[in-house]
Amino acid sequence: MPMFLSLSTSVWILIAAGATLVNLVAMQWIIQIPKYKKQQYWMPVIGIVALGTRGLAQHNALPATLYLYAAVMVMMPLMLAPVRSTITRDHYRWVEDPTTKASKGAMVWIISSALVMMTAVGVGYAAGV
């Protein structure tokens, strides 16, 4: 059995809790638009509901579900942190002029980093099944 699934459930609970804290702190730093800061607290709730429901529906072991949850919680800040100032600038430009488009460089980074991270998480998950 691969290493991540050989950890006990209690260790995975601690890892998921740590990933939640990392997400909450990092997203407060990344999101610099006041009206969206409070909405970031919903991300762990949505993750728990979505991945918990998926885990129950597919009869996944709790460590596997916690692995996916922790990965998703860490992925979001990793994707957005490098382009946080661009995202903020684009938002305020869009507020002034709704025809303003998002910066292509930021969009390329977000999409490509998401694909790389989802692939890595998927490979890790598949290795553990």
Side-chain angles (χ1 to χ4, degrees):
M1 184 179 294
M3 182 183 271
F4 76 87
L5 287 181
S6 66
L7 297 174
S8 70
T9 301
S10 58
V11 171
W12 274 111
I13 290 170
L14 290 173
I15 291 170
T20 301
L21 287 175
V22 166
N23 178 281
L24 291 173
V25 170
M27 291 304 287
Q28 288 303 301
W29 174 74
I30 292 166
I31 303 301
Q32 301 173 7
I33 302 154
K35 78 178 196 180
Y36 295 120
K37 277 188 173 277
K38 288 183 183 175
Q39 294 176 2
Q40 298 311 310
Y41 292 111
W42 283 101
M43 202 180 296
V45 174
I46 293 167
I48 290 168
V49 171
L51 292 169
T53 302
R54 179 195 174 282
L56 288 173
Q58 294 186 352
H59 307 291
N60 288 348
L62 186 55
T65 301
L66 290 170
Y67 162 77
L68 290 175
Y69 171 80
V72 169
M73 287 298 106
V74 173
M75 270 177 43
M76 290 301 291
L78 288 176
M79 257 183 344
L80 298 176
V83 292
R84 83 191 232 325
S85 60
T86 304
I87 293 169
T88 304
R89 185 188 68 225
D90 286 352
H91 171 76
Y92 286 115
R93 285 182 180 170
W94 177 79
V95 167
E96 290 176 19
D97 179 9
T99 61
T100 303
K101 297 190 189 280
S103 299
K104 288 181 183 175
M107 292 306 297
V108 167
W109 168 259
I110 292 169
I111 292 168
S112 60
S113 65
L115 289 172
V116 167
M117 286 187 271
M118 285 190 292
T119 301
V121 170
V123 167
Y125 182 78
V129 175

